Amino acid sequence: MQGEFDLIERFFRRGPARADVALGVGDDAALLRPPPGCELVAATDTLVEGVHFPAGTDPAAVGHKALAVNLSDLAAMGAEPRWALLALTLPAADEDWLAAFAAGLEALAREAGVALVGGDTTRGPLAATVTVLGSVPAGQALRRCGARPGDDVWVSGTLGDAALGLAAATGRLELPAAVAAALRARLDRPRPRLALGRRLRGLARACIDVSDGLVADLGHVCRASGVGARIERAALPLSPAAQAALAAGGDPAAPLVGGDDYELLFTAPPWAAAAVAGLGEVARIGTVEAGAGVRIVEPDGSERRLEAGGWDHFRGRP
Ligand code: ADP
Ligand code: MG
């Protein structure tokens, strides 16, 4: 791409400095100093225009989200993020777009203390791939495979906001402007739960971030752990904006199957319940049980079951 080096200098040699970066942007590769006694934690995720964000999305939000979705993966592992790399594909060197994108990414990088240590810049359909690297004390990472029957199922924050925001943004749902804006903010600027993830080390038995939707992501935990789970629909935490959107005709399944909320979904033994509740912004939504699959218990006691393949039909009372 023409002016590639100039663009990199102007837009991507930024962000917080870290003592554990021996060499950052500018050479053939970065040199990093992982802390002793830790495991290196690595995750990467791509955002493609028209697939992962609507065309025309505020470039600052794209920059934020490209990093945020990766930080959310590190949060779900209980890891501390340290470094990031950015592979950016652009249709043209649009400086205004780049400046806003870089500013959105940099603001979150500073907040999370992540140094941008390298990347790649190419021409093509708009897509941003971020790789984050971080650390966790050896053996203490939160994984998907540790849930046991009798554990409580917990989730942070609120569910369904991003999916309802997407429905409003794409014209499938008419909402008052303030409600639509609140939901759109959840879609565009997810807040990775980094502090919560670290505090869950030693408390949670299994953890995942909600990117595909509660039922799908809990299904991943159940399969990895060899268990099933029962979720109380009435216990699902909903934001005031989501409640307003549901009252205005939003898909009632959004809190169950809507993706992109980037909350932490985790299980913990009952003895840890007071400590978990004390972390704040968490709700107990169900129980891990022997077996397989996810059961959703409706307020009237009826239930629906999700097997590996997808939704079963409404099953009536258990
Ligand atoms: P190479 O040809 O050796 O891969 P590049 O020309 O792709 O080198 O990149 C030059 C330097 O700029 C490298 O240190 C690379 O990590 C960094 N870099 C390139 N693109 C980006 C980007 N979008 N964000 C951050 N660093 C980047
Ligand atoms: Mg390169």
Side-chain angles (χ1 to χ4, degrees):
M1 174 180 285
Q2 186 145 31
E4 176 188 337
F5 301 106
D6 183 46
L7 292 180
I8 295 166
E9 281 300 318
R10 285 178 51 207
F11 296 116
F12 296 116
R13 197 189 274 279
R14 310 205 304 205
R18 287 188 61 107
D20 54 15
V21 178
L23 185 62
V25 169
D27 213 304
D28 293 313
L31 295 175
L32 310 170
R33 301 190 183 104
C38 282
E39 285 167 321
L40 194 60
V41 186
T44 194
D45 256 314
T46 296
L47 299 187
V48 176
E49 183 181 49
V51 180
H52 302 98
F53 60 91
T57 298
D58 171 10
V62 180
H64 173 101
K65 190 164 178 175
L67 180 58
V69 299
N70 280 282
L71 293 177
S72 180
D73 282 326
L74 260 58
M77 299 299 288
E80 178 188 335
R82 291 171 179 270
W83 313 294
L85 297 108
L86 166 68
L88 186 61
T89 305
L90 292 167
D94 176 339
E95 294 198 6
D96 291 341
W97 194 96
L98 264 170
F101 173 89
L105 191 142
E106 184 184 353
L108 181 59
R110 286 191 182 279
E111 201 180 304
V114 178
L116 184 63
V117 297
D120 197 23
T121 309
T122 53
R123 192 188 291 277
L126 182 57
T129 299
V130 170
T131 301
V132 287
L133 299 166
S135 61
V136 68
Q140 290 187 37
L142 304 175
R143 299 182 51 185
R144 298 178 176 185
C145 58
R148 292 192 217 160
D151 280 3
D152 296 320
V153 178
W154 297 82
V155 73
S156 64
T158 58
L159 293 170
D161 300 81
L164 292 163
L166 181 62
T170 53
R172 285 179 282 131
L173 180 60
E174 281 286 325
L175 294 175
V179 173
L183 296 172
R184 182 72 195 250
R186 283 294 310 273
L187 176 69
D188 284 347
R189 293 185 179 266
R191 311 292 315 168
R193 296 281 184 178
L194 287 162
L196 176 63
R198 287 202 291 268
R199 290 191 191 115
L200 288 175
R201 295 199 302 240
L203 289 175
R205 284 206 172 120
C207 187
I208 191 170
D209 65 323
V210 182
S211 54
D212 296 338
L214 173 72
V215 168
D217 289 316
L218 185 55
H220 295 319
V221 168
C222 286
R223 267 189 299 286
S225 300
V227 296
R230 161 197 166 103
I231 295 299
E232 305 291 337
R233 174 118 171 186
L236 298 184
L238 302 177
S239 69
Q243 291 175 34
L246 294 175
D251 180 358
L256 286 168
V257 301
D260 258 11
D261 285 318
Y262 299 99
E263 295 295 350
L264 293 186
L265 172 67
F266 55 97
T267 84
W271 58 256
V276 170
L279 298 175
E281 282 196 82
V282 290
R284 205 189 75 83
I285 58 169
T287 311
V288 177
E289 49 192 22
V294 176
R295 295 195 287 155
I296 309 297
V297 181
E298 300 288 342
D300 68 0
S302 62
E303 72 175 63
R304 291 195 281 178
R305 174 176 287 276
L306 183 88
E307 306 293 355
W311 283 103
D312 212 344
H313 285 294
F314 189 77
R315 283 199 150 196
R317 284 172 189 280

